[in-house]
């Protein structure tokens, strides 16, 4: 995905994450491959730093192995910050995320969807705004506000 998208556009691609203890050797090969493609590697940052980095991302590629779900805090944070989320189809094949993020079954489809969104601002912006609206509606602040509203009007 990085090779296909990065080769046809002038964009900055960052890999943000952590290496699970015991998987350093496995991660080392992946990281070297990403570096050779010009990917900026950002590891082991605090939640605040990651949030700040994601707030500047135009697209967040988060290919969760079991797909998107509302329990994915990083996905909700990225969408809430206004990024277009590109991810995998949920394991349960649910359609509840259609129109709020781009979902695919495999890396080829993820690449095609991402390229299409980068080439068509209307597609990009419509889905991005829908995702942002959903994520912000699920924020702790909006949930607390709804709860207070309910208590005040009972």
């Amino acid at each position: 995905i990085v090779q296909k998208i990065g080769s046809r556009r002038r964009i900055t691609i960052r890999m943000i994450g952590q290496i699970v203890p015991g998987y350093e050797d496995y991660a080392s090969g992946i990281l070297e491959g990403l570096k050779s493609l010009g990917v900026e590697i950002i590891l082991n940052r605090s939640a605040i730093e990651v949030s700040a980095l994601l707030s500047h991302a135009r697209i967040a590629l988060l290919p969760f192995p079991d797909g998107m779900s509302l329990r994915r805090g990083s996905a909700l944070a990225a969408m809430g910050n206004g990024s277009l989320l590109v991810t995998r189809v949920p394991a349960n094949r649910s359609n509840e995320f259609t129109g709020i993020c781009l979902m695919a079954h495999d890396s080829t489809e993820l690449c095609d969807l991402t390229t299409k969104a980068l080439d068509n601002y209307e597609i990009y912006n419509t889905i991005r705004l829908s995702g942002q609206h959903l994520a912000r509606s699920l924020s702790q602040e909006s949930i607390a506000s709804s709860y207070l509203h309910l208590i005040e009007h009972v």
Side-chain angles (χ1 to χ4, degrees), residues 101-154:
C101 63
L102 296 178
M103 296 178 295
H105 294 91
D106 58 40
S107 60
T108 300
E109 190 178 3
L110 277 173
C111 184
D112 292 343
L113 288 173
T114 303
T115 301
K116 186 176 178 181
L118 287 169
D119 290 341
N120 186 320
Y121 182 76
E122 187 176 330
I123 291 171
Y124 162 80
N125 202 45
T126 299
I127 296 172
R128 181 192 70 78
L129 289 173
S130 296
Q132 186 175 41
H133 177 74
L134 171 74
R136 288 185 176 179
S137 74
L138 298 174
S139 71
Q140 294 298 324
E141 183 178 307
S142 67
I143 293 169
S145 177
S146 296
Y147 182 72
L148 288 173
H149 180 75
L150 180 66
I151 290 172
E152 292 170 353
H153 294 92
V154 172

Side-chain angles (χ1 to χ4, degrees), residues 92-104:
N92 65 3
R93 306 281 188 233
S94 171
N95 290 327
E96 73 180 302
F97 303 109
T98 301
I100 64 160
C101 63
L102 296 178
M103 296 178 295

Side-chain angles (χ1 to χ4, degrees), residues 34-130:
L34 290 172
K35 285 179 188 175
S36 73
L37 294 171
V39 175
E40 181 182 344
I41 308 295
I42 302 170
L43 297 174
N44 305 318
R45 301 296 174 92
S46 71
I48 291 171
E49 289 174 295
V50 170
S51 179
L53 289 164
L54 287 175
S55 72
H56 299 290
R58 183 172 172 209
I59 294 179
L61 172 61
L62 301 172
F64 304 114
D66 58 347
M68 176 58 180
S69 77
L70 291 179
R71 63 183 167 75
R72 300 287 189 188
S74 55
L76 294 173
M79 289 190 303
N81 283 330
S83 296
L84 173 65
L85 175 64
V86 181
T87 188
R88 295 182 60 99
V89 173
N92 65 3
R93 306 281 188 233
S94 171
N95 290 327
E96 73 180 302
F97 303 109
T98 301
I100 64 160
C101 63
L102 296 178
M103 296 178 295
H105 294 91
D106 58 40
S107 60
T108 300
E109 190 178 3
L110 277 173
C111 184
D112 292 343
L113 288 173
T114 303
T115 301
K116 186 176 178 181
L118 287 169
D119 290 341
N120 186 320
Y121 182 76
E122 187 176 330
I123 291 171
Y124 162 80
N125 202 45
T126 299
I127 296 172
R128 181 192 70 78
L129 289 173
S130 296

